[in-house]
Amino acid sequence: PIGQDEVRFMLRGRDEFGEVSATSMQFYGNSVSNTEVPYGYRLVVVFGTSADGKLRVHAGLALSGCFTCFVDTYAHVFVERWAEGISVKLFKARAQIFSSLRRISVGGTQLEDCSETPEFQSCALASRLVSFMKSDMDKRFTTQTSWPTGDPGNTTNCVMFAALAGSVALGGGSDFEKAARQVEEQVRQT
C-alpha cells in the first residue's frame, strides 16, 4: 500500500513480527524503521459511559518519530492490544490516531472522550518492544478494565499492555507509571 495515509498490521501470532535491526521491526515481512532517536511515546486512553453507567475504556501506546514503511514515511505509530492480537497502525498525522479511536465502541458504548500522558522520550532498541510484545501474546486477554498495579501475572488487556509497554519496554519507569495513574484518575472522575 504505497502512498497511503495510514498502514495497519494486525498481529495474531509471535511469528508474524520481529526485530530487523536496532531501530527497525518487521510485520509479515514488511520492515518498519525509525530514523528519529530519541523518539516520543505516550499512553492514550479513550473512554465512554454505557447507558447503565459503566465505564468503558480502550488504550494504546502512541509513538512519534520518523517511521518508514514500504517507501512512505509516517510520523506516528499506534500500538494497541486486542483479544485477537496486537494492532500496529502507522499514521502521517497525529489527528488520525484520534480519528481512528473515535470509531471504537466497547460493549456497545461509543468511546468519545480521550486522555493521555505527557510525551516521554526513549532510545530503547526495537528488540525491547518486540520482546515485550511477544511475551504479551502469551498472556490471557481479559476484558475487565484493570490498570497495572505491579506484575499482572499471566493476564493482559489494552490498558495493561500500553501502560506496561511505556514503563517497562520503553524505559519510562516510575515516571511513566505515575503519569498513567494520573490519566486513570482523570478517566475515573469523568
Side-chain angles (χ1 to χ4, degrees):
I2 297 171
Q4 299 292 316
D5 282 343
E6 66 182 74
V7 174
R8 298 169 184 248
F9 298 100
M10 185 61 184
L11 310 171
R12 291 182 170 84
R14 296 169 57 94
D15 60 336
E16 296 172 351
F17 64 100
E19 173 192 6
V20 175
S21 71
T23 59
S24 63
M25 299 169 69
Q26 60 85 20
F27 308 109
Y28 299 106
N30 301 294
S31 179
V32 175
S33 60
N34 177 34
T35 59
E36 189 173 307
V37 179
Y39 53 90
Y41 67 98
R42 64 182 72 223
L43 170 73
V44 177
V45 178
V46 289
F47 56 98
T49 305
S50 67
D52 61 352
K54 291 184 180 175
L55 178 65
R56 304 290 188 202
V57 176
H58 181 68
L61 191 68
L63 302 145
S64 60
C66 186
F67 305 94
T68 303
C69 181
F70 306 109
V71 296
D72 291 317
T73 301
Y74 298 87
H76 304 278
V77 174
F78 193 68
V79 184
E80 54 197 326
R81 186 66 158 95
W82 296 96
E84 61 270 16
I86 297 172
S87 170
V88 178
K89 301 173 187 170
L90 291 87
F91 297 102
K92 299 263 184 189
R94 187 166 183 262
Q96 291 174 287
I97 294 172
F98 299 103
S99 178
S100 74
L101 291 171
R102 286 203 166 81
R103 294 190 295 262
I104 295 173
S105 72
V106 173
T109 302
Q110 194 67 36
L111 306 181
E112 297 177 353
D113 293 316
C114 181
S115 186
E116 60 187 340
T117 64
E119 185 169 87
F120 285 72
Q121 299 291 306
S122 182
C123 294
L125 302 178
S127 59
R128 287 184 66 179
L129 189 53
V130 166
S131 177
F132 177 81
M133 290 167 61
K134 285 185 183 267
S135 69
D136 202 78
M137 294 285 264
D138 293 334
K139 295 181 179 183
R140 181 181 59 79
F141 189 87
T142 178
T143 57
Q144 174 147 3
T145 301
S146 54
W147 297 72
T149 53
D151 182 5
N154 197 34
T155 60
T156 191
N157 63 30
C158 59
V159 176
M160 287 189 275
F161 172 82
L164 290 172
S167 65
V168 177
L170 299 182
S174 62
D175 290 338
F176 190 82
E177 290 172 14
K178 180 180 176 183
R181 290 204 199 303
Q182 289 172 339
V183 168
E184 175 189 11
E185 288 172 20
Q186 179 185 14
V187 168
R188 292 193 187 280
Q189 290 174 2
T190 303

